[in-house]
Amino acid sequence: MPELPEVETVVKGLRQPVQSKEIVRLVSLRPGTVLDQRARKPSGTKNCHQMQICHSLETCPHESREGNPSITPLTSWQISQNANLATSATDFTNLGTITSLERRGKYIIIQTSQELAIIVHLRMTGKLIIQEGLGHSNDDLYHSCDSHGRSSDGRCHSPDPLCHSHENGNPPCTPATKPNPTFPKHTRAYFEFADNSCLLFIDIRTFGKIQILSQAQLPEYFQKLGPEPFSSDFNPGYFLGKARTRNMPIKSLLLDQSFVAGLGNIYVCEALFRTRINPCLPAKQLTKKQITNLINEIRQILTEAIQANGTSISDYRRVDDKTGEFQNFLRVYQKTSCPCGKPVAKIKQAGRSTYYCPTCQK
Ligand SMILES: [Zn+2]
């Protein structure tokens, strides 16, 4: 699952290629992948574990919250990523020109000249890949019909028998001769830009989401998300205050996005190893020195991982479809032996695998 360094790498990789590009349309190829939230009025909050649809999924990203009433409830915004799968629209236009790309936690925020914020959450297996050209097998025929309008299936719907694509000996625009865009397998949505390039959203497991918001909705959307690990808000005083009230292992606390944004299983396991803290230690028992070390080590490991373009263990890829390199520097995550020579233990915590060295992390 992409964590902060992987999402940061994707955002950095996207800036130069797509900044200032005009979005002609955003097309959802799978129901529920693109959600238009502009009309949404969040009301009240619900606990994640009440949402059956969330927990019917094989891997729930919120499972560490289950049975933990002390955890901040999720807003209906975040729940909606799982629950609101009903949407009839598949083709979104008038989205404007991209003015900025930012990361917040594990979210990618694409802001546009139409005062929109398009939020991409890669979740388990999502990736954004730049493709030059739409991949039609007959671009000329396809695009010559644009003036008459067409639907997202790529077919000409012109009632005009003199549609100019029929000229010069081209065959009529019947469905049989109109190619659909050809994209890699598991492409769930794509942005089409005015220069005919596009940005593909490829997602095998289909947990990933693209949400369209107005920029004014952003503060509310992220109001439950914890501070960024690099921000001054994530400091020993904050950490200590939160840890005291949470009756959970330190590993589960670090995975809680309302406590700190962007950390996932890989970097939490590695940061705990580097600070020699046992992942099962109750968060409230950490000393101030351990907390200070942990904050420093989290920042250090994230910095190193960003420099290495992230960790590619399974599906994560950069925007040019290349892998990151930080998997070569992991010390305990998915390892069988620790650098100290002793075996690495693998246990389950809140449904997630934890890797640690019982010798180094007592
Ligand atoms: Zn060890």
Side-chain angles (χ1 to χ4, degrees), residues 273 276 332 337-344 356-361:
F273 171 74
R276 304 175 75 94
V332 287
S337 69
C338 173
C340 77
K342 297 278 170 39
V344 164
Y356 76 106
C357 175
T359 307
C360 297
Q361 296 167 264

Side-chain angles (χ1 to χ4, degrees), residues 92-159:
F92 301 89
T93 54
N94 294 320
L95 299 176
T97 297
I98 294 178
T99 54
S100 76
L101 283 123
E102 303 295 335
R103 179 195 57 75
R104 175 81 172 93
K106 301 176 191 174
Y107 298 84
I108 297 163
I109 308 167
I110 302 170
Q111 303 211 48
T112 78
S113 57
Q114 295 282 42
E115 298 189 359
L116 298 177
I118 302 171
I119 297 181
V120 182
H121 199 190
L122 302 172
R123 298 289 293 278
M124 296 288 291
T125 56
K127 53 184 182 177
L128 288 168
I129 303 293
I130 293 165
Q131 178 167 307
E132 297 302 327
L134 266 173
H136 299 292
S137 56
N138 188 339
D139 276 357
D140 290 339
L141 182 63
Y142 180 84
H143 288 287
S144 63
C145 290
D146 268 356
S147 58
H148 300 290
R150 61 180 170 79
S151 71
S152 59
D153 63 8
R155 291 169 183 162
C156 176
H157 292 267
S158 168

Side-chain angles (χ1 to χ4, degrees), residues 324-355:
E325 291 89 38
F326 197 70
Q327 63 276 13
N328 303 321
F329 302 97
L330 299 176
R331 298 178 194 170
V332 287
Y333 186 79
Q334 290 191 354
K335 301 291 179 191
T336 51
S337 69
C338 173
C340 77
K342 297 278 170 39
V344 164
K346 180 185 177 186
I347 59 170
K348 285 272 184 193
Q349 283 182 292
R352 307 283 300 274
S353 294
T354 298
Y355 296 85

Side-chain angles (χ1 to χ4, degrees), residues 35-38 77 114-119 211-218 221-222:
L35 303 172
D36 189 344
Q37 305 277 26
R38 282 172 282 187
W77 285 111
Q114 295 282 42
E115 298 189 359
L116 298 177
I118 302 171
I119 297 181
Q211 298 187 78
I212 305 169
L213 276 68
S214 72
Q215 289 172 6
Q217 291 172 302
L218 277 176
Y221 185 88
F222 288 118

Side-chain angles (χ1 to χ4, degrees), residues 226-238:
E228 290 289 315
F230 292 109
S231 82
S232 58
D233 292 340
F234 187 58
N235 57 53
Y238 167 82

Side-chain angles (χ1 to χ4, degrees), residues 3 234 239 248-255 259 263-283 286 290-291 293-299 301-302 330-333 338 347 349 353-362:
E3 304 179 26
F234 187 58
F239 200 126
M248 60 168 68
I250 179 59
K251 195 232 175 180
S252 300
L253 179 66
L254 293 173
L255 286 180
F259 171 68
L263 296 183
N265 218 15
I266 297 174
Y267 299 106
V268 166
C269 287
E270 292 292 314
L272 289 171
F273 171 74
R274 290 191 185 192
T275 49
R276 304 175 75 94
I277 296 170
N278 188 298
C280 301
L281 185 71
L286 263 73
Q290 283 178 310
I291 285 173
N293 285 344
L294 194 48
I295 291 173
N296 291 339
E297 210 53 64
I298 285 169
R299 289 176 177 158
I301 198 168
L302 293 176
L330 299 176
R331 298 178 194 170
V332 287
Y333 186 79
C338 173
I347 59 170
Q349 283 182 292
S353 294
T354 298
Y355 296 85
Y356 76 106
C357 175
T359 307
C360 297
Q361 296 167 264
K362 286 206 163 127

